[in-house]
């Protein structure tokens, strides 16, 4: 297929509770209204590899951080290349793909425990197979993100979680800086109403000429 007819990939990034799911829903609504053919998906996936990750994240299985990082790499490659619903096929068919998390999530979350150079190397295949037209980074204050997602939890847990999210946010910012112009990253202030955030995201998406390629 002619390269110009390929669909574009939009990757959403941000700490837990930053508003990604909400904003992906609002963007999908816009696309629907405009008749743009799109597909939304997320990482970790619900594939067998993604299920292993979910088991580890919910404490039903134990694994070393290096193993977890490698599982995210494998899940991501399967997400791209799977013959049934792989993202690469979708993009080649001219479909715009909206992804909830991509390789910057691995850089930001796993670099708390695993060296960043290893993570960049391990994700190099995915990055070379499919680089997003734009990474939308919803930058929400960890305290606000925590308030949005937590209920019925004790203070100590909340404090630990907040400081973990603050570290992850710092890691995101360091990684964006490190990649410079080789990645298109748009930082959106997520500490506002869903409508205000959505408006800025829509402006950013239009700038990257995401359109109907069908
Ligand atoms: P994420 O997918 O990044 O974890 P969500 O979109 O699921 O975030 O949002 C987490 C919670 O915060 C949800 O209950 C959602 O309704 C709420 N929320 C999302 N965006 C906003 C916003 N801009 N202002 C207030 N609450 C929000
Ligand atoms: P999820 O329940 O999807 O959370 P959210 O709605 O906030 O995205 O769980 C995803 C979790 O997995 C989230 O805490 C981030 C983490 N994660 C990584 O640590 N590395 C990765 O590469 C990816 C894709 C996610």
């Amino acid at each position: 297929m002619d390269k110009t007819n390929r669909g574009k990939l939009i990757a959403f990034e941000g700490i837990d509770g930053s508003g990604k799911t909400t904003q992906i829903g609002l963007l999908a609504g816009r696309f629907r209204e405009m008749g743009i053919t799109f597909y939304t998906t997320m990482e970790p996936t619900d594939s067998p590899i993604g299920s292993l990750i979910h088991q580890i994240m919910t404490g039903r299985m134990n694994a070393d951080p290096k193993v977890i990082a490698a599982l995210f790499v494998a899940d991501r490659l399967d997400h791209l290349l799977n013959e049934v619903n792989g993202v690469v096929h979708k993009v080649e068919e001219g479909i715009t793909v909206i992804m909830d998390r991509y390789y910057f999530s691995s850089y930001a979350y796993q670099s708390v425990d695993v060296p960043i150079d290893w993570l960049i190397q391990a994700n190099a295949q995915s990055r070379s197979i499919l680089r997003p037209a734009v990474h939308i980074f919803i930058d929400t204050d960890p305290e606000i993100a925590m308030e949005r997602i937590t209920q019925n939890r004790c203070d100590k847990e909340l404090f630990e979680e907040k400081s973990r999210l603050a570290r992850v946010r710092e890691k995101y910012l360091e990684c964006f800086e490190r990649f410079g112009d080789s990645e298109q990253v748009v930082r959106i202030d997520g500490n506002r109403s869903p409508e205000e955030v959505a408006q800025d995201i829509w402006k950013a998406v239009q700038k990257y000429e995401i359109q109907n390629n069908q």
Side-chain angles (χ1 to χ4, degrees), residues 85-123:
N85 53 7
V87 168
V88 168
H89 275 307
K90 307 270 182 207
V91 167
E92 281 170 356
E93 285 166 18
I95 297 170
T96 291
V97 176
I98 309 175
M99 206 132 107
D100 188 341
R101 301 192 177 281
Y102 196 28
Y103 46 78
F104 270 108
S105 280
S106 277
Y107 303 159
Y109 281 82
Q110 273 63 61
S111 69
V112 171
D113 302 300
V114 178
I116 183 70
D117 290 323
W118 188 93
L119 294 166
I120 291 172
Q121 193 67 35
N123 279 283

